[in-house]
Structures are given as structure tokens and as C-alpha cells.
Amino acid sequence: MTTPPALLIAGQGTRDDTGSEAFRAFVRQLGARRPELPVAGGFAEPSRPPLGDAVAELVERGVRHFTAVPLVLVPAGTAQGGIRAALAREKERHPGISYSYGPPLGPHPALLDVLERRLDEALGGAGARRPGDRADVTVLLVGPGSTDPDANAEVHRAARLLWEGRGYAGVETAFASLAAPDVPNGLDRCVRLGARRIVVLPYFLFTGVQPDRVRQQTEGWAEAHPEIEVCSAGVIGPEPELLDLVWERYEEAVAGRHAAGHVHREADSHAH
């Protein structure tokens, strides 16, 4: 019987200690799901733990082949490039190891369900003036932003999928950095389109510098526009759906592996 490969969770990195700890806790939760399988996780960018330490940990445990699942929501942009480059360096550093590469996480129906839940929580929370009906709610989905237009297009795609069949007045997009519109301009656009009730929804897995910036910009805009009801939703977080999805991506990569070091690209149909 062939031994299944280990699981390496590859994150982009964050300068926020709370976000880093959320990532580490998530990796521990994943390992608890399959205790018989080596699981490690690290960041491509300078954050703790670095991806190199995670690979070294697996190698010390005797692992020679692993499947890397990128903990990112879009299949393009600097996050994916940085993770792939970091993995290539580790392959040179540890001769004899090989890896397959799983598809990114979103937009997946399970994550869209979590986003919908975050919207419901925001509409029923202290930041909402009234419960009301979804038909008068405009959602501003805020992605990280990238210089890669394909990465930004994926946020627009997620917004469209979130809007389909859920009864919101509309789902618009904005970005935390590097792309337009930013959050204030995105809120301005919502108002120009007739919105009077807006929920700003961060398209991020965990808390961090960028989600905090999104919330601060939302609060600043809301103070300047008291006639518009605006509230902020939470990030996706370590929900059971996210844990399930990472293992699903792992299984997809294992099933689709053709050769050592193969980069498995997700077919578009998987993301629907």
C-alpha cells in the first residue's frame, strides 16, 4: 500500500501577530483531523513560521514527498508566485524531496456559504440599525488587491457567485491595496448605484493588517456619511468548512499528481 504524502500548508505571510497565530492554530486543527499523516505549515514571506522551517520539519520526520496546499483564495497574483518560488528553493535545499501542488481555495461553494453567514452575522449584530430584508442590502466584497489583473478578476468572480441567488441588492468589489477601487471609493460607488444599506465584507481567511485596514477605512467613511447605514462583517476564519476544503484540495492534488514536483492546476469546473 502506497503511503499518502504529507500535507504542507503554504501561506503568503502576515505582519500581524494575531493573524500568524490564527494560521498556526489552523495548521494544528488540520493535523488533529488526520493524526496519522504528517502536517506542517509555514509562510512564504518573512513571518513565523517560515515555509523553510515547515519543510525542514517534514524532512526531519522522514518525509520525502508532500502535497502543498496554498492557503490563498485566488489562483494568481504575488501570493501564488511567492509560494511557488519558496517551494522551489526548498526543493534545491533538500535534494530528494518532491511535492505536488494543490489548487487554491476559492471561490468554493463552501466558502461562499461562510461569507453569507458572516453577512447575516453583521446584519444581525450591533453594527446594524435594523434587521430588514436582504433586498435592500448592498455588499462590498473587499479583496487583498494585486498588480496582477487576473488575481483581481477572481475577486470580481467571487462577488458574482456570492450575489447569485442570495437576494442581495448587489455585490460590488473593492481592494485593500494595489488595485482600484479602494474601500472609500468602493463605498462611494455603492451609494451612486442607490445603496442606502451596505455591508463591507472582507475576502480574507484570517485577521491581519489588511482586514484591519479595511475595517478602519469603513468606520472612517461611515462617520463621514451618517445618512448611510454601513457595517463591517468578519473574515472567513477557521470554520469547519475551511478545514474540510483544505483536505478536499489535498485529495484533489494527490489524485491529480502525475510526477514529482508537478504543479496541479485546478480546472475551472472545480471552483463552481
Side-chain angles (χ1 to χ4, degrees), residues 178-189:
L178 299 176
D182 59 14
V183 172
N185 282 305
L187 287 164
D188 288 342
R189 172 176 166 77

Side-chain angles (χ1 to χ4, degrees), residues 115-125 127-131 133-134 136-142 162 168 170-173 183 186-187 190 195-202 214-215 218 221 228-234:
L115 291 173
E116 183 179 10
R117 192 156 69 240
R118 294 289 176 262
L119 288 169
D120 287 341
E121 291 166 357
L123 289 168
R129 298 176 190 168
R130 55 198 166 85
D133 184 76
R134 286 183 178 185
D136 70 350
V137 173
T138 298
V139 177
L140 184 64
L141 183 70
V142 184
L162 182 63
Y168 301 111
V171 180
E172 298 298 317
T173 54
V183 172
L187 287 164
C190 290
R196 289 295 177 268
R197 195 173 187 224
I198 307 169
V199 181
V200 177
L201 176 63
V214 170
R215 183 174 290 271
T218 300
W221 189 94
I228 307 295
E229 181 180 348
V230 182
C231 60
S232 296

Side-chain angles (χ1 to χ4, degrees), residues 4 23 82 87 96 100 107 110 117 119 164 177-178 189 208 214 217 232 251 254 261:
F23 173 87
L87 287 173
S100 55
R117 192 156 69 240
L119 288 169
E164 289 279 358
S177 64
L178 299 176
R189 172 176 166 77
V214 170
Q217 290 178 338
S232 296
E251 297 291 351
V254 171

